[in-house]
Amino acid sequence: MALVGCGGFIGSHLLSAILERTQWRVFGVDLDSYRIQEHLSNDRFEFVCADLSEPSVVKRIAQYPVVVNLAAICTPSRYMAEAATVIRSNYDHPARLADACAKSGSWLIHFSTSEIYGKTSAESGLLDEDSTEITLGPVPASRWSYATAKLLTERYLFALENLCWTVVRPFNFVGPYMDFMPGVDGEGIPRVLANFSTALVRGETMKLVNGGLAKRSFTSVHDAVDFMFCLFRNGDQGIGQAFNIGNPDNELTIAELAGKMRSIYAGIKGVGVETVPQPVAVSGEEYYGKGYEDSLRRMPSVAKAERLLGFKAATPLEVVLKESLSWFVDHYQIAAE
Ligand code: UGA
C-alpha cells in the first residue's frame, strides 16, 4: 500500500501499527521523517522524501492497490497568512492524486477534516456525514480557506467517474507526536493540545481564544488507527462513503480543556495546581490575525462507522490527555529548560 503523509502525526502512528500488525509492504511519502526514523531501515518500508506537487511521485503512488492520503496543511494559524498554499495542498494535490487513482483503479482513502462542517454555532447538534447542511464564512475570512479546499476535494472525489474512494473526517485527533513545540521543531501556533502543552512546560499562560467557549470532541489517535484497520477489513462497506471519526463522549469547551490540562500537568510534576499559571482570555483576531473565525461546536454523529464498520472510539478524554501530556513533557523537557 502507499501512505502519503506517513511522517506526520496520524501517518506516523498508522505506519507503526501497519508494520507491527501486518506483513504488508508500505511505500511512504512525506517531506518530513523525524517521527518515523525507527522504520527507515525496515525492509517492508520504502520512504520517498517528496510531496504531491511532483507528478512522477503521484504516478508511483497510484500503482499501489490501496492509497491512504494524509498529507495536508492543517494548522489554523496558517489558514490566514498562507491561504493560497493551504488551498494548493488541500485541493490541487489530492485532486491530482485522485485523477491518478481513478486511472489506475486504486482504492483512495482520503483524510478530509471535521472542519468541512464549517462555521457551526454553539447550538449545532450532531454533525451527520450525509445530511448536515454546511455553512462556511465569507471569503475575506481566510479561516475558511482550508475547509473550502477540503470540501471541494470531497466533492471532486464524489463526482469523479471510476474512482474507488473513502473519505475520513477526523474530529480533533490527539496523542503523542501531535504538531510541534514552537521554536524547537516548528514555528507559529500549533493546534490547541500542543499549544497548551507548550505553555505548561514553559510555565507560561495558556491562551483561551475568545474566552475558550468553543467546544471540541477530542479523539485518541490510537482509536483513529483502530478505525483504519476496521476499514481495511471491511472495504466493501466503506467504499463510496464519508466517515466521521470522533468521540462525542469526549466533548468539552476549550476553557474546560485548559482546566483539565492544568491539573494533569500539576499531577505529572507532583506540584500543587495553584503553582501552575491560570489561563487568560485573548481575542481571536489578536491571537491569529485578521480573518480568524471559529466553529463553536463540533460534535460528530458516529452511527455510520458503527453500523457499516463496527467501529466506535473508546478512549476516554482523561486517558488520552494524560498520555499526550506525559509524552510532551518527556519529549520536550530538555528543550524547554
Ligand atoms: C483544526 C483544523 O483546522 C482541522 O483541520 C482539524 O480537523 C482539527 O484542528 C483537528 O485537529 O481535527 P480546530 O479544532 O479549530 O481545527 O483547531 P485548534 O487550533 O486545535 O483549535 C481548537 C479550539 O481551541 C479553537 O476554538 C481555537 O480558537 C482554540 N484555541 C487554540 C485556544 O483557545 N487557544 C490556543 O492556544 C489554541
Side-chain angles (χ1 to χ4, degrees), residues 74 76 79 113-115 143 146 170-173 178 190-192 195-196 207-209 214 216 254 287-288 292 294 298:
C74 54
Y79 304 165
T113 172
S114 56
E115 189 142 326
R143 161 65 196 247
Y146 170 76
F171 279 68
N172 293 82
F173 291 175
M178 192 202 174
R191 282 172 291 179
V192 68
N195 216 21
F196 282 180
K207 304 290 190 300
L208 300 177
V209 172
R216 295 291 186 271
I254 298 302
Y287 198 56
Y288 288 114
Y292 183 76
D294 205 355
R298 261 193 214 157

Side-chain angles (χ1 to χ4, degrees), residues 1-331:
M1 70 177 303
L3 190 50
V4 185
C6 63
F9 162 52
I10 307 169
S12 59
H13 284 276
L14 183 57
L15 176 66
S16 296
I18 289 172
L19 293 175
E20 272 163 37
R21 297 185 203 175
T22 76
Q23 287 304 312
W24 303 344
R25 295 191 163 275
V26 180
F27 175 60
V29 176
D30 207 308
L31 290 171
D32 195 358
S33 62
Y34 99 89
R35 295 181 179 89
I36 54 170
Q37 287 297 313
E38 62 181 304
H39 302 306
L40 295 178
S41 57
N42 188 314
D43 291 347
R44 290 188 288 121
F45 179 52
E46 182 186 354
F47 177 71
V48 169
C49 180
D51 71 11
L52 296 174
S53 62
E54 291 181 39
S56 61
V57 173
V58 172
K59 209 168 159 192
R60 266 201 80 186
I61 295 166
Q63 286 166 5
Y64 288 82
V66 180
V67 174
V68 179
N69 182 19
L70 285 142
I73 295 177
C74 54
T75 316
S77 60
R78 300 181 65 183
Y79 304 165
M80 280 70 68
E82 302 170 61
T85 309
V86 166
I87 291 166
R88 273 194 290 276
S89 146
N90 292 300
Y91 174 67
D92 288 8
H93 295 178
R96 296 298 75 81
L97 181 61
D99 288 338
C101 290
K103 214 165 155 189
S104 66
S106 306
W107 175 23
L108 175 62
I109 303 172
H110 175 74
F111 271 69
S112 183
T113 172
S114 56
E115 189 142 326
I116 62 108
Y117 292 106
K119 198 174 173 181
T120 52
S121 74
E123 287 76 41
S124 298
L126 287 178
L127 301 169
D128 178 82
E129 291 96 334
D130 302 312
S131 63
T132 294
E133 298 283 334
I134 295 170
T135 304
L136 297 170
V139 173
S142 282
R143 161 65 196 247
W144 307 111
S145 54
Y146 170 76
T148 305
K150 284 282 201 186
L151 186 58
L152 186 57
T153 299
E154 285 203 26
R155 290 194 183 281
Y156 189 66
L157 303 194
F158 191 90
L160 204 55
E161 279 169 24
N162 301 327
L163 178 68
C164 178
W165 61 271
T166 300
V167 160
V168 182
R169 297 178 186 158
F171 279 68
N172 293 82
F173 291 175
V174 286
Y177 283 111
M178 192 202 174
D179 287 354
F180 55 89
M181 183 183 229
V184 175
D185 54 355
E187 295 304 330
I189 306 174
R191 282 172 291 179
V192 68
L193 180 96
N195 216 21
F196 282 180
S197 303
T198 298
L200 289 165
V201 166
R202 288 186 169 149
E204 295 168 0
T205 51
M206 292 178 275
K207 304 290 190 300
L208 300 177
V209 172
N210 298 327
L213 300 178
K215 289 181 175 171
R216 295 291 186 271
S217 301
F218 292 93
T219 311
S220 164
V221 71
H222 307 303
D223 284 332
V225 166
D226 289 344
F227 164 82
M228 289 302 287
F229 280 86
C230 286
L231 181 61
F232 294 145
R233 277 195 298 273
N234 301 290
D236 290 357
Q237 295 293 312
I239 287 170
Q241 300 287 347
F243 292 100
N244 291 337
I245 301 307
N247 190 336
D249 296 339
N250 286 350
E251 185 186 67
L252 79 179
T253 67
I254 298 302
E256 287 165 343
L257 175 74
K260 274 192 192 294
M261 289 183 69
R262 194 168 166 248
S263 43
I264 292 171
Y265 184 74
I268 291 171
K269 301 302 282 182
V271 298
V273 73
E274 68 290 347
T275 65
V276 182
Q278 294 264 18
V280 294
V282 291
S283 89
E285 286 223 345
E286 187 190 313
Y287 198 56
Y288 288 114
K290 206 167 157 34
Y292 183 76
E293 293 187 347
D294 205 355
S295 307
L296 294 184
R297 187 171 193 217
R298 261 193 214 157
M299 195 187 212
S301 159
V302 292
K304 186 165 156 183
E306 196 171 0
R307 188 176 77 249
L308 294 183
L309 305 176
F311 171 80
K312 193 164 195 266
T315 312
L317 187 64
E318 292 286 333
V319 173
V320 64
L321 290 183
K322 269 188 196 143
E323 182 202 13
S324 308
L325 198 44
S326 304
W327 174 85
F328 199 95
V329 169
D330 286 350
H331 190 77

